[in-house]
Amino acid sequence: MNGLPNEERQRLGALLEHTSQAEVMAQISQFSQAEIHNIAPTPAQAPDSLGLLVFNMERGVHLAELGDFLETCPEAMPYDVILANELDDGCVRSGQKDTTKELAERLGMNYVFGLEFIELVNGQDAKGFHGNAIFSRWPIKRAQVVRLPEEYNWYFDRQRRIGGRLAILAELDVNGKSVGVGTIHLENRTHGPGRQEQLETILKAADEMFPGMPVALGGDLNTNTFDGRDKDAIQEIAGSPALQRRCLEDVATWEGCLGAAEKAGYKAMPDQPILTRRKPLPGGGHLDLRLDWLLLRDLEPTDSRTISTCREVWPFAVPGSALEAFGGRELSDHNAVWASCTLSK
């Protein structure tokens, strides 16, 4: 995806002082692009099941380690599709790399990327692109970006961005059978009804794009059970074990998007109350949250698990690898979610 010079990015960003995100984004064609890169040979054998992995990769900052993790972590395998969030392209913080392209080439997978934000804070960024991606071992027939209703204007945030939340939908050719997949990133800086409106937009688009197909949607739905802008609410929850339990055990009660998915015929995975995000707290420690989901329609899960990305649980790291040498506490602030689903003939 072609970038924009920093001078042009800053000019467009300055328009947001008096113009809406939608109006500025309409001037940037990259926000509507879903470029398909079918770079991998088609698998020789037809699968009886599909391995699906949801993974928020936290900007792809630790790209070599991510590649090692995906190549060697037994709990993450096998995967045919990765529904990925938070991947950079041309950002200083991630080495100016096109993290989606480099990871796809390393794993030998086809891919499509969708632009979520153009970062404005660091003028040294080559592109400042940040978004989501679908990786697939099977050919991607078509794809589209679904822009979501705005729940928060990220230009007026400390991160200062052009853009907004999105989903990417893609039709895969799995040995002649069409399968619909989608990667989703809902807004954290809003409440449950805001996220529900965003997911309902995606479900409607998926119905239109994938009639009669089995569908797997997934990603970081940011199902906090609170408004991410409300610092007082976060502190109250952090200090109350009873309120903390709701973030794992009672998510569906507070997050109507999950009920909307169920009403539309989707099964939400994982179905056990286990954390997928460690949210840092200002005074130290973290809040356990359940944010990352697979939503399955006409696909029956036969196995599923949540995979920790914390350093202490990597006995599989190859000696001498970047993963083995990694000195951080966690590869991502999210755990990954994996499921295997039967695929009817």
Side-chain angles (χ1 to χ4, degrees):
M1 186 177 286
N2 294 329
L4 300 170
N6 180 58
E7 182 178 338
E8 178 66 1
R9 298 197 301 265
Q10 299 300 331
R11 184 192 70 81
L12 289 162
L15 298 177
L16 292 167
E17 295 288 346
H18 52 80
T19 307
S20 70
Q21 286 278 7
E23 289 175 286
V24 173
M25 291 166 66
Q27 301 180 46
I28 304 170
S29 62
Q30 288 87 339
F31 278 115
S32 61
Q33 293 173 6
E35 291 184 347
I36 296 170
H37 300 269
N38 282 319
I39 61 173
T42 302
Q45 294 184 325
D48 295 321
S49 61
L50 276 182
L52 304 168
L53 186 68
V54 169
F55 199 172
N56 182 318
M57 299 184 180
E58 201 178 355
R59 304 171 174 176
V61 171
H62 305 299
L63 191 61
E65 294 86 351
L66 280 169
D68 288 347
F69 185 88
L70 291 167
E71 288 182 336
T72 59
C73 176
E75 288 193 315
M77 300 177 186
Y79 51 83
D80 300 282
V81 176
I82 304 174
L83 305 174
N85 299 122
E86 295 197 17
L87 285 163
D88 282 352
D89 179 6
C91 294
V92 169
R93 66 195 179 196
S94 48
Q96 303 282 26
K97 298 173 182 176
D98 183 341
T99 59
T100 303
K101 178 177 182 289
E102 291 195 22
L103 193 58
E105 290 175 346
R106 174 169 179 175
L107 299 176
M109 300 182 77
N110 308 309
Y111 69 98
V112 57
F113 174 83
L115 178 61
E116 188 169 27
F117 296 112
I118 298 176
E119 309 283 356
L120 297 174
V121 170
N122 193 335
Q124 299 303 308
D125 287 340
K127 293 184 182 177
F129 286 2
H130 178 74
N132 304 299
I134 296 169
F135 301 87
S136 171
R137 300 201 186 281
W138 295 91
I140 302 171
K141 295 171 66 174
R142 60 191 177 111
Q144 69 170 15
V145 166
V146 180
R147 309 278 358 156
L148 305 184
E150 183 180 299
E151 295 293 333
Y152 179 75
N153 189 335
W154 281 86
Y155 179 76
F156 297 103
D157 187 87
R158 61 180 174 78
Q159 297 183 62
R160 209 158 55 86
R161 298 158 148 178
I162 305 171
R165 302 300 187 181
L166 84 159
I168 309 166
L169 303 180
E171 180 182 346
L172 308 183
D173 180 355
V174 182
N175 195 47
K177 182 180 181 65
S178 289
V179 177
V181 298
T183 183
I184 298 170
H185 204 189
L186 303 186
E187 185 56 71
N188 65 318
R189 285 164 166 75
T190 189
H191 41 50
R195 283 183 283 273
Q196 180 175 343
E197 182 184 10
Q198 290 186 328
L199 187 63
E200 286 174 343
T201 299
I202 297 165
L203 297 174
K204 181 175 184 293
D207 280 347
E208 294 171 354
M209 186 169 177
F210 305 136
M213 299 180 204
V215 180
L217 307 176
D220 180 358
L221 273 57
N222 273 312
T223 43
N224 298 310
T225 75
F226 52 83
D227 188 328
R229 296 168 293 189
D230 191 340
K231 304 304 182 185
D232 292 338
I234 294 169
Q235 288 295 342
E236 182 183 6
I237 292 169
S240 167
L243 291 177
Q244 288 172 34
R245 282 195 294 274
R246 93 181 193 200
C247 297
L248 296 179
E249 299 174 10
D250 300 322
V251 177
T253 302
W254 293 83
E255 296 286 347
C257 61
L258 297 175
E262 182 179 7
K263 184 177 179 181
Y266 290 84
K267 178 180 177 62
M269 303 291 295
D271 54 7
Q272 298 299 313
I274 186 168
L275 75 94
T276 68
R277 167 89 202 282
R278 296 167 290 275
K279 179 178 176 61
L281 294 171
H286 64 266
L287 185 61
D288 293 346
L289 300 174
R290 193 176 171 193
L291 306 187
D292 304 85
W293 301 84
L294 270 167
L295 306 175
L296 306 173
R297 188 183 75 188
D298 298 331
L299 286 168
E300 186 61 34
T302 56
D303 193 11
S304 68
R305 50 187 169 261
T306 301
I307 306 154
S308 175
T309 57
C310 288
R311 177 70 180 87
E312 63 267 19
V313 292
W314 296 342
F316 51 83
V318 175
S321 68
L323 188 63
E324 195 268 342
F326 181 65
R329 190 177 69 85
E330 56 189 14
L331 190 58
S332 170
D333 56 356
H334 289 248
N335 290 336
V337 174
W338 176 90
S340 178
C341 302
T342 56
L343 191 63
S344 61
K345 302 296 185 183

